[in-house]
Amino acid sequence: MNTAHPAPSELPAWLYWQEAAPIDSVEAPTREAFVERWGAPGLPVKLGGLTDAWPARERWSVAFFRREHGACDVTVEARAAAGGTRSVRLADYLATLDGPTGNEAWYLKDWVFREQAPALADDYRVPAQFPDYFAELEPALRPGYSWIYIGPRDSASNFHRDVAGTSAWNALIRGRKLWLFFAPDEHAAAYDNSLDAFVRDRSPDPRLAARRPLYCIQEPGEIVFTPSLWWHQVYNLETSIAVTENFADDCNLKHVLRGLRERPEGRHTALALALLVGCRRPRPIGARQ
C-alpha cells in the first residue's frame, strides 16, 4: 500500500508551519483497509484512484458552470478578516474569479446544488469507502450534506470542524488545495471559528501557533477524508472546483448522534438514525425483546 507524502518544498513559503507533518496518501484502498487504517482510528488521509471514471472530471469547469448553471442564485462568503456574505447569480460570481485575492476574495462554499441543479449529482459517485447512513433515511429526514465549492486562488475556508459530528470526503475536480488539520486532543477545547491558520506576516493565534498540524496538498482527482471532530482549514492554491459530502457511518455514529441531538432541527434525524442502526445490529443472546 502506497503511503507516499508530498515534499515539504510544496508548502507555501509564507505558511507558519513549515515543519507540519503530512497525512497519509494512498491509492484506492478497499473499504476494509480504509476503516482499519483511517476510518476507525479517526485519521485524515488523501485517496487517489477513486474518481477517474466520474463524468465531473471531464465536464466540470468554470466555463461549464457559467454556461449550464449560470442562472442559479448562490451565496458567496469572504474570509473572517473581510467578513460578510452576499447573494449573486452564479455566472456573475464566476466572472469575478480573476479579481481580488486573499481575504478580499469571495468564495462559493456550501452550495446546496441538489436544490437548484440536481442533475450534477449524476456526475459523480460516492466512493465505496464512505457508506452513508443518511442516504438510507426517508428523504425528509436526510440532512442534505452535499455541497459544491468554487473559489479563486488565495481564497480559503474559515477554521472549523464539520457539522454535527460528521466526517467528510472532498473530491477536487479542478485546481490545487492546501489542507491543515488540528487533532481533537486536549487543546481543541480552546479552538473556535474565529481562528485563522493562514495569516501572513505575523504568527497565528497562540492557540494554534504552539500546535503542529497535519497537512496535505490536494491535486485534481484526489479525495481528502476529514474525520469527525478534527478542526481544519482549506486554502485554494489555484482556482478550484470541488464536491464534498458529509456522512454518518459506524466509525463516527456516536459523535453524529450527539451532534444532531444538540441541533433542534436535527433531533428527528437523530432518532431515525438511531432506530435504523439499532434495528440492524444483532442483540446479545438473552437480551430482552
Side-chain angles (χ1 to χ4, degrees), residues 76-80 82-86 106:
V76 296
E77 179 178 313
R79 291 271 292 286
T85 63
R86 59 177 176 149
W106 293 95

Side-chain angles (χ1 to χ4, degrees), residues 19-80:
E19 300 302 319
I23 67 173
D24 287 339
S25 179
V26 61
E27 288 292 309
T30 64
R31 165 66 180 167
E32 293 74 20
F34 169 79
V35 169
E36 180 180 354
R37 292 284 299 275
W38 302 283
L43 297 173
V45 63
K46 183 172 69 172
L47 306 175
L50 299 179
T51 67
D52 296 344
W54 289 8
R57 294 288 307 280
E58 296 294 328
R59 290 163 54 85
W60 290 12
S61 66
V62 171
F64 166 80
F65 281 101
R66 182 186 297 120
R67 181 181 67 251
E68 301 294 333
H69 304 288
C72 292
D73 293 319
V74 298
T75 299
V76 296
E77 179 178 313
R79 291 271 292 286

Side-chain angles (χ1 to χ4, degrees), residues 64-234:
F64 166 80
F65 281 101
R66 182 186 297 120
R67 181 181 67 251
E68 301 294 333
H69 304 288
C72 292
D73 293 319
V74 298
T75 299
V76 296
E77 179 178 313
R79 291 271 292 286
T85 63
R86 59 177 176 149
S87 297
V88 297
R89 289 175 66 251
L90 179 57
D92 295 335
Y93 168 68
L94 296 176
T96 71
L97 291 182
D98 293 328
T101 60
N103 285 348
E104 297 181 1
W106 293 95
Y107 190 13
L108 171 53
K109 56 188 293 290
D110 300 339
W111 177 27
V112 187
F113 64 93
R114 290 176 183 266
E115 296 178 357
Q116 301 180 72
L120 289 170
D122 296 331
D123 286 346
Y124 68 91
R125 298 289 182 270
V126 176
Q129 289 77 7
F130 310 118
D132 185 8
Y133 280 133
F134 290 144
E136 301 180 46
L137 299 178
E138 292 295 324
L141 293 171
R142 296 173 192 167
Y145 294 155
S146 302
W147 300 287
I148 286 175
Y149 291 72
I150 303 176
R153 178 178 60 86
D154 292 333
S155 60
S157 69
N158 290 324
F159 189 80
H160 67 287
R161 57 182 177 180
D162 284 330
V163 60
T166 56
S167 304
W169 60 264
N170 177 291
L172 185 61
I173 308 301
R174 296 280 186 271
R176 298 175 73 236
K177 290 178 180 281
L178 165 64
W179 293 68
L180 291 180
F181 300 91
F182 293 79
D185 56 19
E186 68 275 13
H187 304 287
Y191 300 158
D192 60 53
N193 298 98
S194 70
L195 296 175
D196 190 351
F198 295 130
V199 295
R200 302 197 190 197
D201 303 321
R202 60 184 174 89
S203 297
D205 187 288
R207 289 172 288 174
L208 296 182
R211 309 276 70 80
R212 189 187 184 209
L214 302 179
Y215 84 96
C216 77
I217 303 290
Q218 185 185 20
E219 304 286 349
E222 295 179 333
I223 289 178
V224 171
F225 166 69
T226 302
S228 176
L229 304 185
W230 280 68
W231 288 86
H232 56 286
Q233 195 167 2
V234 189

